[in-house]
Amino acid sequence: MTNCIALDCEMVGGVSNRSVLARVSLVNSSGVCVYDKYVKPTETVTDYRTSVSGIQRHNLENGVDFNVIQREVQNLIRGKILVGHSLEFDLGALKLSHPARDIRDLATYEPFKRLNNGHPASLQLLAQHFLRQIIHQGPHDSVEDARIAMKIYQTVANNWR
């Protein structure tokens, strides 16, 4: 493990018309995947959003219980700099909090917002701008998105304020 870890989650649609946590991935500062698990749905899934999420029914059939995932992720991110894109949604889905001083959210970083007229820049736009990489040609992959977020963060880490 490193002192910096990137988080990304994939969601599916639930019967309550809200997003339901389906997959959680963490990578370290070297881009090595240190956690990648599918989550047993906490409610009936009405839309797997496969074209965007990459999630299919069989991925969740043997998913890990939400409480186990929550505890494991909390233990892995405790005391670390947490990197990601729109982390409030991922942390919200996990029902976790993290100290604001240790959060590096690419979606809320003011210098990145300048790339999109003051609005949060998509991970896709940031990857293209900072890494010259095209992402999301197909379904999202939370491991790859966490790696991309970490790489983008590392380009500005010394100047992050």
Side-chain angles (χ1 to χ4, degrees), residues 10-12 23 48-56 139-141:
E10 296 298 337
M11 311 293 177
V12 293
R23 184 180 180 191
Y48 286 88
R49 303 176 182 166
T50 304
S51 63
V52 175
S53 72
I55 304 292
Q56 297 179 28
H140 295 201
D141 178 314

Side-chain angles (χ1 to χ4, degrees), residues 11-22 39-49 55 57 60-61 64-67 92-93 95:
M11 311 293 177
V12 293
V15 72
S16 67
N17 253 354
R18 66 179 183 89
S19 292
V20 177
L21 185 65
V39 185
K40 188 178 296 180
T42 55
E43 64 180 69
T44 302
V45 176
T46 57
D47 183 0
Y48 286 88
R49 303 176 182 166
I55 304 292
R57 178 187 304 267
L60 304 185
E61 286 174 347
V64 179
D65 184 71
F66 174 83
N67 293 324
K95 298 181 182 170

Side-chain angles (χ1 to χ4, degrees), residues 12 14 40 48 52 54 58 61 66 79 89 105 117 119 151 153 155:
V12 293
K40 188 178 296 180
Y48 286 88
V52 175
H58 72 87
E61 286 174 347
F66 174 83
F89 296 113
D105 191 334
N117 297 318
H119 301 286
K151 286 180 185 177
Y153 168 67
T155 67

Side-chain angles (χ1 to χ4, degrees), residues 72-93:
E72 290 174 347
V73 170
Q74 185 174 40
N75 288 336
L76 288 167
I77 68 174
R78 184 179 290 119
K80 308 272 194 256
I81 299 294
L82 185 63
V83 175
H85 187 272
S86 298
L87 283 169
E88 68 184 89
F89 296 113
D90 292 340
L91 288 171

Side-chain angles (χ1 to χ4, degrees), residues 80-136:
K80 308 272 194 256
I81 299 294
L82 185 63
V83 175
H85 187 272
S86 298
L87 283 169
E88 68 184 89
F89 296 113
D90 292 340
L91 288 171
L94 285 158
K95 298 181 182 170
L96 291 175
S97 62
H98 199 70
R101 71 179 180 278
D102 292 337
I103 289 179
R104 304 296 184 269
D105 191 334
L106 307 180
T108 61
Y109 188 52
E110 287 301 323
F112 289 172
K113 287 182 172 183
R114 290 185 207 129
L115 296 172
N116 196 30
N117 297 318
H119 301 286
S122 68
L123 188 61
Q124 207 168 5
L125 175 63
L126 295 173
Q128 194 169 359
H129 182 83
F130 289 96
L131 306 176
R132 305 287 184 243
Q133 229 177 310
I134 305 292
I135 62 169
H136 299 159

Side-chain angles (χ1 to χ4, degrees), residues 136-154:
H136 299 159
Q137 297 289 66
H140 295 201
D141 178 314
S142 51
V143 173
E144 188 58 27
D145 286 355
R147 281 188 183 122
I148 294 294
M150 180 63 78
K151 286 180 185 177
I152 293 167
Y153 168 67
Q154 289 171 334

